[in-house]
Amino acid sequence: MGKLFGTDGIRGVANEGLDALLAFKVGQAAAAVLAEGKEAKPLFTIGKDTRISSDMLEAALTAGLCSAGADVIPLGVLPTPAVAYITMQAKADAGIVISASHNPFEYNGIKIFNGSGFKLSDELEQAIEDIILNDRPVAKATGGAVGRVLGGREEYVNAYIEHLASLAEGISGLKVVIDCSNGASSVTARKLFSRFDIELTVIHDQPNGVNINDKCGSTNMKSLCQAVKDGEYDIGIAFDGDADRCLVVDENGTELDGDHIMAICGSRMKRQGKLKNDYIVATVMSNIGFRMFAEKHGIELRCASVGDRNVLEMMQEIGANLGGEQSGHLIFLDDSTTGDGQLAAVKILSLLAAEKRTLSQLASEFVQYPQVLINVPVKSDADKKRIMDGEKLAEAVKAAEAELGEKGRVLIRASGTEALIRVMVEAFDADMAQSIAKRLANDVTKF
């Protein structure tokens, strides 16, 4: 992980850690790095979510790119996976997304995809960082070499929606409510899901710049759960701010996380002979119940480090086509190069329509064991590193593991995007999991 690029791009509070000047420099540096070895101008796409700061950062990035001789296709407000898809369709050299995903509106971020729709390699991110952090000069384009802002947004967006719609399998007869988190899916969800023969309701699709992820979407599903129960829907679907995550609610108003969705989709894919090598890639955070489910269904569950980039890398290494995280990052690699919440929703709706069973019935084979996650705030990245590397934490974890024995596990990790240390305890007994997690979280605050 670099000093600027974390596990999911550059992230920070807008106009504090991430301001227009930094965005301008990222644009310049990215253009310079992607232009190496090319005779033609590099071409970039840029998409953004609905945060109030996204316009400012988009303007700065565009100026930086054009000043260094790159052309830009502005895509406006659009889900992250749509930018990855369009980058490939446009034969662009890279795509840039301005978003802080599930974080509050004050935050924003910059992440870059390569021309194949995958996240930019560590090596290229490092090259961009090197230019910015060492204040290396970037040659300014002059005359006809200055970059231009190009058109074509509507054509590309429609192509993305057509792509997702083409992957649907007989979606009909369902009553569906979708929560757009006042984020990027607000501009695409209704266009996509109204194509199907379903009774559709869309909520939280009125972004105003500051209400993204605010008590809605995949990070807060209380209102969606209530809407499902009140409206007697078959399913509720929630996206996060940039729509690369998807979580669902069954007909009883019960939340189902990414583990549940991968289990349900993966078992069907296996029955259909579509689950490549019978693998699913999850993360170390995945519930022990998922592992038991996979074993029962003849699926080999592999666990990567937390982060969709890590999941994708393992999928590519072992030849898997389904992977994801509890948080709802779900990667269907045959159809997309990155997590795509709306694609996941299309898959789930196709499955639900075909199975002729309720979502709660489909999920009932998955027994989820008690898992407690506590996010402990810390002052800085330096504090995260000091605590995580300290002997006191190692001793506390060792004592907790001895207490749990074979009846649970402990996982403590530093967040890659926020000033947090995440304490997770899983146990067969809920009270034990809660007690040990609270104790460890309290220990972290003292270290």
Side-chain angles (χ1 to χ4, degrees):
M1 190 188 307
K3 293 181 179 179
L4 288 178
F5 288 92
T7 56
D8 198 22
I10 299 170
R11 193 75 61 93
V13 175
N15 268 347
E16 291 183 16
L18 177 57
D19 60 14
L21 179 58
L22 177 56
F24 178 81
K25 291 179 178 179
V26 170
Q28 281 191 316
V33 169
L34 271 296
E36 288 184 11
K38 287 178 59 71
E39 293 184 7
K41 289 182 180 180
L43 174 63
F44 285 74
T45 62
I46 298 183
K48 59 187 175 182
D49 69 18
T50 58
R51 292 163 210 274
I52 196 168
S53 60
S54 290
D55 292 345
M56 171 187 73
L57 295 175
E58 179 191 31
L61 274 164
T62 301
L65 288 163
C66 290
S67 73
D71 288 340
V72 176
I73 301 174
L75 299 174
V77 172
L78 207 61
T80 288
V83 177
Y85 178 82
I86 291 169
T87 298
M88 292 186 291
Q89 296 300 304
K91 295 181 171 55
D93 295 281
I96 300 178
V97 178
I98 303 165
S99 172
S101 189
H102 60 285
N103 291 146
F105 84 92
E106 305 98 303
Y107 289 81
N108 218 321
I110 299 172
K111 48 190 169 185
I112 307 177
F113 292 98
N114 66 23
S116 299
F118 293 103
K119 289 183 179 178
L120 209 61
S121 68
D122 292 340
E123 292 75 18
L124 289 177
E125 286 184 347
Q126 184 59 52
I128 293 170
E129 277 197 9
D130 182 59
I131 291 172
I132 297 169
L133 297 179
N134 293 297
D135 205 22
R136 300 190 190 283
V138 174
K140 295 178 182 177
T142 58
V146 173
R148 298 179 302 160
V149 175
L150 307 177
R153 176 190 184 277
E154 290 303 318
E155 178 184 346
Y156 287 124
V157 173
N158 289 336
Y160 169 70
I161 292 173
E162 289 287 350
H163 168 63
L164 294 188
S166 72
L167 300 172
E169 301 174 30
I171 298 176
S172 65
L174 299 172
K175 188 175 182 182
V176 181
V177 55
I178 292 177
D179 182 346
C180 292
S181 197
N182 291 316
S185 62
S186 299
V187 303
T188 55
R190 197 179 296 274
K191 292 179 182 178
L192 171 62
F193 295 100
S194 63
R195 291 169 174 245
F196 308 129
D197 183 21
I198 59 176
E199 185 177 335
L200 176 67
T201 300
V202 180
I203 62 174
H204 300 304
D205 64 336
Q206 300 297 317
N208 62 13
V210 299
N211 62 357
I212 186 171
N213 299 320
D214 184 15
K215 298 178 183 177
C216 59
S218 64
T219 55
N220 190 326
M221 297 172 67
K222 185 176 180 180
S223 63
L224 179 62
C225 292
Q226 193 61 50
V228 169
K229 290 188 287 186
D230 291 346
E232 298 183 346
Y233 289 90
D234 296 306
I235 185 174
I237 298 171
F239 305 125
D240 67 334
D242 67 334
D244 64 353
R245 298 187 185 192
C246 171
L247 295 178
V248 298
V249 175
D250 72 16
E251 75 283 0
N252 300 314
T254 302
E255 295 180 29
L256 302 178
D257 65 16
D259 284 352
H260 284 100
I261 297 170
M262 285 188 285
I264 294 168
C265 291
S267 60
R268 182 171 188 249
M269 289 170 67
K270 179 173 170 57
R271 293 194 304 272
Q272 295 175 321
K274 295 180 179 179
L275 187 66
K276 195 173 179 182
N277 296 319
D278 291 338
Y279 285 139
I280 296 178
V281 177
T283 76
V284 291
M285 292 292 290
S286 285
N287 193 274
I288 192 172
F290 189 8
R291 300 173 192 183
M292 294 177 175
F293 176 94
E295 184 176 347
K296 178 181 177 181
H297 288 81
I299 295 169
E300 186 171 345
L301 187 66
R302 296 287 189 92
C303 290
S305 299
V306 172
D308 60 325
R309 175 183 288 228
N310 297 321
V311 171
L312 177 60
E313 286 178 357
M314 183 174 284
M315 291 175 69
Q316 292 172 314
E317 286 172 8
I318 68 174
N321 62 351
L322 176 62
E325 300 182 275
Q326 280 182 323
S327 60
H329 276 127
L330 303 167
I331 303 173
F332 293 85
L333 198 51
D334 290 338
D335 305 307
S336 179
T337 58
T338 189
D340 188 329
Q342 292 178 119
L343 169 60
V346 167
K347 297 286 187 181
I348 297 161
L349 291 176
S350 296
L351 181 154
L352 192 56
E355 292 288 334
K356 307 300 182 185
R357 288 189 288 166
T358 65
L359 188 54
S360 65
Q361 289 171 336
L362 291 170
S364 62
E365 289 186 65
F366 186 123
V367 179
Q368 190 168 42
Y369 288 87
Q371 190 181 77
V372 177
L373 176 64
I374 301 177
N375 293 321
V376 184
V378 295
K379 293 180 180 179
S380 65
D381 287 341
D383 279 334
K384 279 195 292 189
K385 181 170 177 27
R386 176 182 57 78
I387 294 169
M388 292 299 298
D389 292 345
E391 290 185 8
K392 289 183 178 180
L393 180 59
E395 290 171 359
V397 170
K398 186 175 180 180
E401 289 175 336
E403 184 177 349
L404 285 165
E406 304 225 340
K407 297 181 179 179
R409 65 188 180 107
V410 175
L411 179 67
I412 299 183
R413 67 179 187 88
S415 169
T417 59
E418 300 174 82
L420 297 172
I421 289 179
R422 306 189 193 278
V423 176
M424 189 275 282
V425 177
E426 192 172 78
F428 290 175
D429 179 79
D431 290 338
M432 177 179 280
Q434 187 73 38
S435 173
I436 293 175
K438 284 183 177 180
R439 187 178 75 221
L440 286 170
N442 187 53
D443 287 342
V444 169
T445 64
K446 295 175 181 178
F447 300 155

